[in-house]
mmCIF file of all heavy atoms in Angstrom:
data_model
loop_
_atom_site.group_PDB
_atom_site.id
_atom_site.type_symbol
_atom_site.label_atom_id
_atom_site.label_comp_id
_atom_site.label_asym_id
_atom_site.label_seq_id
_atom_site.Cartn_x
_atom_site.Cartn_y
_atom_site.Cartn_z
ATOM 1 N N ALA H 225 93.662 83.886 135.209
ATOM 2 C CA ALA H 225 93.656 84.594 133.922
ATOM 3 C C ALA H 225 94.080 86.160 134.263
ATOM 4 O O ALA H 225 93.742 86.669 135.322
ATOM 5 C CB ALA H 225 92.129 84.753 133.490
ATOM 6 N N GLU H 249 96.302 82.329 132.258
ATOM 7 C CA GLU H 249 95.709 82.407 131.011
ATOM 8 C C GLU H 249 95.973 83.771 130.593
ATOM 9 O O GLU H 249 95.736 84.819 131.289
ATOM 10 C CB GLU H 249 94.144 82.387 131.180
ATOM 11 C CG GLU H 249 93.560 81.175 131.807
ATOM 12 C CD GLU H 249 91.962 81.400 131.968
ATOM 13 O OE1 GLU H 249 91.360 82.111 131.274
ATOM 14 O OE2 GLU H 249 91.462 80.779 132.927
ATOM 15 N N PHE H 251 95.178 87.030 128.547
ATOM 16 C CA PHE H 251 94.057 87.594 127.780
ATOM 17 C C PHE H 251 94.602 88.416 126.609
ATOM 18 O O PHE H 251 95.569 89.195 126.835
ATOM 19 C CB PHE H 251 93.307 88.577 128.745
ATOM 20 C CG PHE H 251 91.954 88.068 129.045
ATOM 21 C CD1 PHE H 251 91.793 86.794 129.872
ATOM 22 C CD2 PHE H 251 90.829 88.648 128.573
ATOM 23 C CE1 PHE H 251 90.469 86.332 130.081
ATOM 24 C CE2 PHE H 251 89.583 88.172 128.814
ATOM 25 C CZ PHE H 251 89.431 87.012 129.545
ATOM 26 N N LEU H 278 96.725 78.945 128.753
ATOM 27 C CA LEU H 278 95.609 79.142 127.843
ATOM 28 C C LEU H 278 95.824 80.596 127.284
ATOM 29 O O LEU H 278 96.409 81.480 127.880
ATOM 30 C CB LEU H 278 94.361 79.184 128.622
ATOM 31 C CG LEU H 278 93.079 79.289 127.730
ATOM 32 C CD1 LEU H 278 92.397 77.871 127.551
ATOM 33 C CD2 LEU H 278 92.053 80.127 128.542
ATOM 34 N N GLN H 280 93.265 83.431 125.313
ATOM 35 C CA GLN H 280 91.911 83.793 125.093
ATOM 36 C C GLN H 280 91.649 85.252 125.014
ATOM 37 O O GLN H 280 92.440 85.992 125.361
ATOM 38 C CB GLN H 280 91.145 83.003 126.179
ATOM 39 C CG GLN H 280 91.214 83.833 127.472
ATOM 40 C CD GLN H 280 89.817 83.771 128.146
ATOM 41 O OE1 GLN H 280 88.780 83.912 127.581
ATOM 42 N NE2 GLN H 280 89.844 83.655 129.488
ATOM 43 N N PRO H 281 90.407 85.545 124.442
ATOM 44 C CA PRO H 281 89.343 84.818 123.851
ATOM 45 C C PRO H 281 89.391 84.882 122.459
ATOM 46 O O PRO H 281 89.876 85.854 121.906
ATOM 47 C CB PRO H 281 88.177 85.392 124.415
ATOM 48 C CG PRO H 281 88.420 86.869 124.524
ATOM 49 C CD PRO H 281 90.014 86.964 124.765
ATOM 50 N N LEU H 316 91.162 79.358 123.851
ATOM 51 C CA LEU H 316 89.717 79.396 124.229
ATOM 52 C C LEU H 316 88.909 79.932 123.182
ATOM 53 O O LEU H 316 89.158 81.091 122.830
ATOM 54 C CB LEU H 316 89.552 80.084 125.678
ATOM 55 C CG LEU H 316 88.150 80.056 126.107
ATOM 56 C CD1 LEU H 316 88.240 80.116 127.751
ATOM 57 C CD2 LEU H 316 87.336 81.248 125.637
ATOM 58 N N CYS H 318 85.078 81.122 122.374
ATOM 59 C CA CYS H 318 83.821 81.423 122.956
ATOM 60 C C CYS H 318 82.651 81.115 122.040
ATOM 61 O O CYS H 318 82.812 81.384 120.786
ATOM 62 C CB CYS H 318 83.657 82.962 123.287
ATOM 63 S SG CYS H 318 84.892 83.543 124.462
ATOM 64 N N GLU H 353 84.076 77.103 124.747
ATOM 65 C CA GLU H 353 83.204 77.566 125.937
ATOM 66 C C GLU H 353 81.980 78.136 125.563
ATOM 67 O O GLU H 353 81.863 79.074 124.690
ATOM 68 C CB GLU H 353 84.092 78.715 126.683
ATOM 69 C CG GLU H 353 83.386 79.208 127.880
ATOM 70 C CD GLU H 353 84.101 80.548 128.403
ATOM 71 O OE1 GLU H 353 84.460 81.316 127.649
ATOM 72 O OE2 GLU H 353 84.413 80.560 129.683
ATOM 73 N N ALA H 354 80.838 77.782 126.324
ATOM 74 C CA ALA H 354 79.494 78.439 126.197
ATOM 75 C C ALA H 354 79.475 79.608 127.004
ATOM 76 O O ALA H 354 79.521 79.559 128.219
ATOM 77 C CB ALA H 354 78.462 77.496 126.557
ATOM 78 N N LEU H 355 79.389 80.757 126.411
ATOM 79 C CA LEU H 355 79.063 82.047 127.144
ATOM 80 C C LEU H 355 77.605 81.965 127.508
ATOM 81 O O LEU H 355 76.755 81.545 126.690
ATOM 82 C CB LEU H 355 79.343 83.268 126.307
ATOM 83 C CG LEU H 355 80.801 83.495 125.835
ATOM 84 C CD1 LEU H 355 81.004 84.843 125.163
ATOM 85 C CD2 LEU H 355 81.737 83.524 127.118
ATOM 86 N N TRP H 357 75.478 84.010 127.529
ATOM 87 C CA TRP H 357 74.763 84.999 126.685
ATOM 88 C C TRP H 357 75.009 84.705 125.183
ATOM 89 O O TRP H 357 74.685 85.486 124.400
ATOM 90 C CB TRP H 357 74.953 86.338 126.978
ATOM 91 C CG TRP H 357 76.357 86.738 126.981
ATOM 92 C CD1 TRP H 357 77.070 87.185 125.860
ATOM 93 C CD2 TRP H 357 77.263 86.770 127.978
ATOM 94 N NE1 TRP H 357 78.362 87.433 126.200
ATOM 95 C CE2 TRP H 357 78.543 87.223 127.527
ATOM 96 C CE3 TRP H 357 77.343 86.368 129.290
ATOM 97 C CZ2 TRP H 357 79.672 87.179 128.313
ATOM 98 C CZ3 TRP H 357 78.458 86.432 130.176
ATOM 99 C CH2 TRP H 357 79.574 86.836 129.594
ATOM 100 N N CYS H 382 85.593 73.816 127.229
ATOM 101 C CA CYS H 382 86.091 74.709 128.415
ATOM 102 C C CYS H 382 84.939 74.961 129.276
ATOM 103 O O CYS H 382 83.886 75.406 128.845
ATOM 104 C CB CYS H 382 86.745 75.989 127.967
ATOM 105 S SG CYS H 382 87.005 77.248 129.340
ATOM 106 N N LEU H 383 85.111 74.537 130.557
ATOM 107 C CA LEU H 383 83.954 74.733 131.532
ATOM 108 C C LEU H 383 84.266 75.976 132.263
ATOM 109 O O LEU H 383 85.396 76.081 132.780
ATOM 110 C CB LEU H 383 83.841 73.521 132.430
ATOM 111 C CG LEU H 383 83.372 72.277 131.757
ATOM 112 C CD1 LEU H 383 83.475 71.089 132.774
ATOM 113 C CD2 LEU H 383 81.938 72.395 131.169
ATOM 114 N N ASP H 384 83.316 76.841 132.500
ATOM 115 C CA ASP H 384 83.386 78.015 133.268
ATOM 116 C C ASP H 384 82.333 78.073 134.231
ATOM 117 O O ASP H 384 81.170 78.055 133.935
ATOM 118 C CB ASP H 384 83.427 79.322 132.294
ATOM 119 C CG ASP H 384 83.558 80.558 133.094
ATOM 120 O OD1 ASP H 384 83.074 80.708 134.235
ATOM 121 O OD2 ASP H 384 84.220 81.498 132.475
ATOM 122 N N SER H 385 82.643 77.942 135.550
ATOM 123 C CA SER H 385 81.604 77.909 136.496
ATOM 124 C C SER H 385 80.554 78.983 136.497
ATOM 125 O O SER H 385 79.413 78.760 136.747
ATOM 126 C CB SER H 385 82.255 77.879 137.981
ATOM 127 O OG SER H 385 82.863 79.043 138.276
ATOM 128 N N PHE H 386 81.044 80.213 136.034
ATOM 129 C CA PHE H 386 80.123 81.326 136.067
ATOM 130 C C PHE H 386 78.982 81.094 135.020
ATOM 131 O O PHE H 386 77.839 81.242 135.433
ATOM 132 C CB PHE H 386 80.769 82.640 135.872
ATOM 133 C CG PHE H 386 79.843 83.763 135.831
ATOM 134 C CD1 PHE H 386 79.426 84.442 136.955
ATOM 135 C CD2 PHE H 386 79.090 84.115 134.686
ATOM 136 C CE1 PHE H 386 78.502 85.334 137.108
ATOM 137 C CE2 PHE H 386 78.070 85.101 134.662
ATOM 138 C CZ PHE H 386 77.693 85.656 135.803
ATOM 139 N N HIS H 387 79.402 80.665 133.885
ATOM 140 C CA HIS H 387 78.410 80.534 132.834
ATOM 141 C C HIS H 387 77.447 79.398 133.178
ATOM 142 O O HIS H 387 76.315 79.355 132.733
ATOM 143 C CB HIS H 387 79.077 80.255 131.471
ATOM 144 C CG HIS H 387 79.919 81.360 130.949
ATOM 145 N ND1 HIS H 387 79.378 82.606 130.800
ATOM 146 C CD2 HIS H 387 81.291 81.512 130.857
ATOM 147 C CE1 HIS H 387 80.426 83.467 130.435
ATOM 148 N NE2 HIS H 387 81.487 82.840 130.457
ATOM 149 N N PHE H 408 89.690 72.525 129.648
ATOM 150 C CA PHE H 408 90.011 73.591 130.523
ATOM 151 C C PHE H 408 88.977 73.802 131.479
ATOM 152 O O PHE H 408 87.761 73.653 131.195
ATOM 153 C CB PHE H 408 90.459 74.862 129.810
ATOM 154 C CG PHE H 408 91.447 75.681 130.557
ATOM 155 C CD1 PHE H 408 92.807 75.347 130.640
ATOM 156 C CD2 PHE H 408 91.050 76.893 131.100
ATOM 157 C CE1 PHE H 408 93.714 76.110 131.331
ATOM 158 C CE2 PHE H 408 91.947 77.703 131.823
ATOM 159 C CZ PHE H 408 93.243 77.326 131.880
ATOM 160 N N LEU H 409 89.320 74.319 132.795
ATOM 161 C CA LEU H 409 88.395 74.621 133.728
ATOM 162 C C LEU H 409 88.564 76.037 134.313
ATOM 163 O O LEU H 409 89.754 76.334 134.846
ATOM 164 C CB LEU H 409 88.424 73.527 134.933
ATOM 165 C CG LEU H 409 87.648 73.916 136.094
ATOM 166 C CD1 LEU H 409 86.141 73.994 135.768
ATOM 167 C CD2 LEU H 409 87.894 72.928 137.240
ATOM 168 N N GLN H 410 87.542 76.841 134.181
ATOM 169 C CA GLN H 410 87.687 78.270 134.715
ATOM 170 C C GLN H 410 86.785 78.389 135.905
ATOM 171 O O GLN H 410 85.649 78.018 135.853
ATOM 172 C CB GLN H 410 87.324 79.352 133.633
ATOM 173 C CG GLN H 410 88.295 79.284 132.394
ATOM 174 C CD GLN H 410 87.843 80.274 131.425
ATOM 175 O OE1 GLN H 410 86.707 80.360 131.104
ATOM 176 N NE2 GLN H 410 88.796 81.081 130.849
ATOM 177 N N LEU H 411 87.291 79.000 136.865
ATOM 178 C CA LEU H 411 86.440 79.066 138.144
ATOM 179 C C LEU H 411 86.213 80.535 138.504
ATOM 180 O O LEU H 411 87.261 81.317 138.483
ATOM 181 C CB LEU H 411 87.218 78.393 139.293
ATOM 182 C CG LEU H 411 87.277 76.912 139.088
ATOM 183 C CD1 LEU H 411 88.336 76.329 140.027
ATOM 184 C CD2 LEU H 411 85.964 76.215 139.266
ATOM 185 N N ALA H 412 85.028 80.900 138.747
ATOM 186 C CA ALA H 412 84.743 82.177 139.243
ATOM 187 C C ALA H 412 83.414 81.984 140.258
ATOM 188 O O ALA H 412 82.513 81.211 139.891
ATOM 189 C CB ALA H 412 84.367 83.158 138.213
ATOM 190 N N SER H 425 78.409 89.073 134.760
ATOM 191 C CA SER H 425 79.746 88.326 134.496
ATOM 192 C C SER H 425 80.871 89.384 134.407
ATOM 193 O O SER H 425 82.002 89.091 134.873
ATOM 194 C CB SER H 425 79.521 87.630 133.281
ATOM 195 O OG SER H 425 80.764 86.972 133.010
ATOM 196 N N ARG H 429 81.926 89.226 139.115
ATOM 197 C CA ARG H 429 82.598 87.869 139.443
ATOM 198 C C ARG H 429 83.487 88.095 140.614
ATOM 199 O O ARG H 429 83.954 89.231 140.936
ATOM 200 C CB ARG H 429 83.373 87.356 138.224
ATOM 201 C CG ARG H 429 82.583 86.877 137.147
ATOM 202 C CD ARG H 429 83.468 86.155 136.178
ATOM 203 N NE ARG H 429 82.905 85.686 134.978
ATOM 204 C CZ ARG H 429 83.236 84.711 134.255
ATOM 205 N NH1 ARG H 429 84.325 84.064 134.588
ATOM 206 N NH2 ARG H 429 82.651 84.305 133.207
ATOM 207 N N GLU H 458 89.073 82.979 136.653
ATOM 208 C CA GLU H 458 88.879 83.894 135.554
ATOM 209 C C GLU H 458 87.763 84.857 136.187
ATOM 210 O O GLU H 458 86.659 84.482 136.085
ATOM 211 C CB GLU H 458 88.337 83.331 134.289
ATOM 212 C CG GLU H 458 88.384 84.222 133.101
ATOM 213 C CD GLU H 458 87.336 83.861 132.011
ATOM 214 O OE1 GLU H 458 86.363 83.212 132.383
ATOM 215 O OE2 GLU H 458 87.607 84.261 130.953
ATOM 216 N N VAL H 459 88.281 85.992 136.699
ATOM 217 C CA VAL H 459 87.381 86.881 137.461
ATOM 218 C C VAL H 459 87.400 88.280 136.876
ATOM 219 O O VAL H 459 88.400 88.917 136.952
ATOM 220 C CB VAL H 459 87.796 86.823 138.847
ATOM 221 C CG1 VAL H 459 87.097 87.856 139.666
ATOM 222 C CG2 VAL H 459 87.448 85.414 139.551
ATOM 223 N N PHE H 460 86.327 88.596 136.378
ATOM 224 C CA PHE H 460 86.106 90.024 135.885
ATOM 225 C C PHE H 460 85.430 90.769 137.033
ATOM 226 O O PHE H 460 84.296 90.382 137.378
ATOM 227 C CB PHE H 460 85.158 90.067 134.630
ATOM 228 C CG PHE H 460 85.491 89.168 133.465
ATOM 229 C CD1 PHE H 460 85.119 87.812 133.499
ATOM 230 C CD2 PHE H 460 86.203 89.689 132.431
ATOM 231 C CE1 PHE H 460 85.511 87.030 132.397
ATOM 232 C CE2 PHE H 460 86.550 88.827 131.367
ATOM 233 C CZ PHE H 460 86.151 87.541 131.381
HETATM 234 MG MG1 MG X 1167 85.368 81.994 130.798
#
Side-chain angles (χ1 to χ4, degrees):
E249 299 175 28
F251 249 70
L278 184 100
Q280 75 142 322
L316 184 151
C318 303
E353 175 192 47
L355 297 182
W357 53 91
C382 169
L383 296 173
D384 179 324
S385 62
F386 181 88
H387 296 300
F408 207 72
L409 172 60
Q410 295 179 316
L411 296 166
S425 175
R429 289 188 184 207
E458 190 205 33
V459 168
F460 306 84

